[in-house]
Amino acid sequence: RQDLESAHQARVEAHVEKAEAELSQLRPMATRSHADLTTSSLDNEGLRSRNTELQQALAAAQQSVVSLSNQLQDSEKRRELQAADLVRQRDEVMEINAQLCGHRNAKQKIQYLLKVKEEKEELKKDKTRLEAIVKNLAGSPAAAASLLSARTICDANDYSMQYPHDSNHANDSTNLSLAPTEGAPATPG
């Protein structure tokens, strides 16, 4: 029995030595693992803190984006209103310009201006002719009376041209003429 106990004791001691050898090998690894675990825990806390900061920054950035988006929409609305107002003003100016010129396109405007130029030339010719008549009539007292009569005739003709449907004066312009009165010199022709 003693042999058995000694053998058992020897086996237990061998087991203990083996366990102690393994334990001595595992202690440094356990110490390193514990240190790594402590470092990882600290790193995790740092990352959690950084994550919280980044989430707060993201929330602030999202609020800024919403605010800037609202400002952009307001700015776009104002720009659209201004553009519409400018288009309206341009159309009004174009309409006024068309009314002043009498035409909407350039070709009609050119034709209109040529017509105005021709009328101007005709009026110059009429003016020259009338100046000659006045000069001839101004030479005698009878011519002065004729001149006054011609002035009255011109006024009546102007009135009838301005008011063609006025029945009170409709016959005045048809019965009057610019022919010189009796005794006045004849006008060149």
Side-chain angles (χ1 to χ4, degrees):
R1 198 176 172 201
Q2 230 184 10
D3 280 340
L4 271 169
E5 282 184 21
S6 315
H8 183 33
Q9 184 72 22
R11 276 189 290 191
V12 168
E13 285 177 6
H15 232 290
V16 167
E17 281 180 21
K18 187 178 174 186
E20 284 180 357
E22 286 178 6
L23 186 61
S24 66
Q25 286 177 354
L26 291 174
R27 273 194 184 125
M29 287 174 52
T31 305
R32 276 194 313 264
S33 293
H34 186 307
D36 288 345
L37 182 61
T38 304
T39 305
S40 293
S41 293
L42 292 174
D43 287 345
N44 273 349
E45 285 301 315
L47 289 174
R48 280 190 190 114
S49 174
R50 180 71 178 141
N51 189 27
T52 302
E53 290 173 5
L54 290 174
Q55 285 178 345
Q56 289 172 350
L58 178 62
Q62 287 173 337
Q63 287 178 347
S64 291
V65 166
V66 168
S67 174
L68 290 173
S69 176
N70 290 339
Q71 289 176 0
L72 180 63
Q73 288 175 353
D74 291 344
S75 176
E76 281 294 315
K77 286 178 185 175
R78 281 193 308 272
R79 187 195 59 78
E80 288 173 3
L81 290 173
Q82 288 173 344
D85 189 46
L86 289 174
V87 166
R88 183 188 54 76
Q89 288 176 1
R90 183 203 63 198
D91 291 346
E92 286 176 5
V93 168
M94 288 176 65
E95 181 67 28
I96 290 169
N97 189 31
Q99 289 174 357
L100 291 175
C101 292
H103 302 288
R104 293 193 183 267
N105 67 39
K107 189 173 182 180
Q108 287 179 333
K109 184 177 180 180
I110 291 170
Q111 291 173 351
Y112 173 76
L113 292 175
L114 287 174
K115 181 181 172 186
V116 168
K117 185 177 179 183
E118 289 173 5
E119 288 176 2
K120 180 181 173 186
E121 290 300 319
E122 288 179 27
L123 290 173
K124 280 184 181 180
K125 287 178 186 176
D126 287 347
K127 178 185 170 200
T128 305
R129 185 177 57 81
L130 290 174
E131 284 176 346
I133 291 171
V134 169
K135 193 174 188 180
N136 286 336
L137 292 176
S140 70
S146 175
L147 183 61
L148 288 175
S149 175
R151 171 77 178 161
T152 304
I153 292 169
C154 288
D155 289 344
N157 283 335
D158 286 345
Y159 182 86
S160 66
M161 292 175 105
Q162 289 176 1
Y163 307 102
H165 301 294
D166 186 352
S167 61
N168 293 333
H169 296 82
N171 292 329
D172 291 350
S173 63
T174 57
N175 293 334
L176 300 174
S177 69
L178 288 177
T181 57
E182 191 178 312
T187 59

